[in-house]
């Protein structure tokens, strides 16, 4: 994909939704029209939280799906707890982003559903907040689609079809014009999936700025942890590698 291709920015995203009826996934059955707004948090809770601040300011209702099996963030860490609890307090729905590939080849779908149940119970017990809905992580890659009858599935056919679903996956709306597509919400329910990480890059389609932001965030966390180590704190300047472009 050419890196000079343009993508919408955060202000344009807000403009798309500011006059629309926006709906969390868990509430979609209460509505006959509007935009079901959903975000999959694949890489960065920090970027998702920053994105949610824009939505709160503009009174946009949405659902954020978090991975319990992420390789790049930990929802149980102290810093993550503060983010997730604040997002819940701000009125956002937190749902489960379930990755079957985290468990290898279990064979039977019921075995994956058991793992999903364990993840749900872990989150609910830890945060004291019920999970109402879930979305599958990279279902096109895994080929595994699960139907948990106790929860709302973001891939339910009633809200997931070529006619009523638009996504920004891999920086692409798949030939759909989001402004035109969202006009449908005036007469019917549609689902709009975005990944917050896409809205904190440069004007061009590239992950360079986001990658630097994630790396810097990890550097700051490790730096904070290691600062109690006298050997590190006395010599840490030599560890400030050139790959980190600090703000």
């Amino acid at each position: 994909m050419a890196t000079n291709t343009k993508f919408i920015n955060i202000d344009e995203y807000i403009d798309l939704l500011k006059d629309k009826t926006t709906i969390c996934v868990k509430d979609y059955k209460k509505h006959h029209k509007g935009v079901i707004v959903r975000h999959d948090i694949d890489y960065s809770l920090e970027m998702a939280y920053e994105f949610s601040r824009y939505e709160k300011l503009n009174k946009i209702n949405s659902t954020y799906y978090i991975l319990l099996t992420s390789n790049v963030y930990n929802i149980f860490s102290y810093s993550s707890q503060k983010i997730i609890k604040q997002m819940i307090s701000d009125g956002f729905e937190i749902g489960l982003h379930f990755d079957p590939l985290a468990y290898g080849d279990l064979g039977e779908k019921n075995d994956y559903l058991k793992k999903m149940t364990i993840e749900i119970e872990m989150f609910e017990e830890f945060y004291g907040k019920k999970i109402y809905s879930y979305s599958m992580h990279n279902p096109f890659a895994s080929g595994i689609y699960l139907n948990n009858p106790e929860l709302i599935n973001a891939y339910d056919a009633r809200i997931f079809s070529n006619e009523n679903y638009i996504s920004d996956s891999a920086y692409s709306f798949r030939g759909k014009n989001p402004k035109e597509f969202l006009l449908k919400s005036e007469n019917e329910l549609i689902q709009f999936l975005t990944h917050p990480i896409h809205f904190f890059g440069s004007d061009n389609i590239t992950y360079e700025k986001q990658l630097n932001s994630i790396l810097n965030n990890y550097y700051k966390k490790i730096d904070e942890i290691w600062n109690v180590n006298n050997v590190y704190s006395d010599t840490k300047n030599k560890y400030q590698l050139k790959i980190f472009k600090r703000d």
Side-chain angles (χ1 to χ4, degrees), residues 67-196:
L67 282 162
L68 267 72
T69 54
S70 171
N71 287 322
V72 290
Y73 66 82
N74 173 15
I75 73 157
F76 301 112
S77 72
Y78 180 66
S79 59
S80 295
Q81 287 180 55
K82 291 194 293 183
I83 287 174
I84 293 171
K85 288 178 180 178
Q86 185 60 57
M87 291 173 72
I88 292 172
S89 176
D90 288 340
F92 295 101
E93 177 190 3
I94 302 297
L96 176 68
H97 200 32
F98 184 73
D99 182 9
L101 294 180
Y103 298 99
D105 184 6
L106 298 181
E108 298 296 327
K109 285 189 175 181
N110 279 341
D111 292 328
Y112 289 108
L113 285 170
K114 290 176 183 177
K115 296 297 186 183
M116 179 186 288
T117 298
I118 291 172
E119 290 191 18
I120 292 167
E121 291 174 347
M122 288 174 62
F123 177 89
E124 291 182 343
E125 181 176 353
F126 191 84
Y127 280 97
K129 187 71 176 178
K130 184 174 175 57
I131 282 183
Y132 293 95
S133 69
Y134 69 97
S135 72
M136 301 299 295
H137 179 61
N138 286 337
F140 304 109
S142 69
I144 299 173
Y145 292 84
L146 300 177
N147 180 32
N148 186 328
E150 297 182 3
L151 300 175
I152 296 171
N153 181 1
Y155 289 96
D156 187 311
R158 288 171 290 187
I159 55 174
F160 178 76
S161 71
N162 189 54
E163 289 72 34
N164 63 10
Y165 172 82
I166 185 170
S167 166
D168 73 339
S169 293
Y171 264 127
S172 174
F173 290 111
R174 305 296 192 275
K176 296 175 181 177
N177 181 308
K179 184 175 182 178
E180 293 177 2
F181 196 88
L182 264 60
L183 290 176
K184 291 184 175 186
S185 67
E186 297 174 5
N187 301 300
E188 60 184 288
L189 273 177
I190 64 170
Q191 182 181 169
F192 188 20
L193 164 64
T194 67
H195 298 76

Side-chain angles (χ1 to χ4, degrees), residues 204-221:
N204 296 332
I205 290 181
T206 172
Y207 286 102
E208 181 180 7
K209 186 174 181 181
Q210 297 96 314
L211 179 60
N212 266 295
S213 177
I214 292 171
L215 290 174
N216 269 296
N217 183 57
Y218 281 121
Y219 170 81
K220 291 172 183 175
K221 289 179 179 179

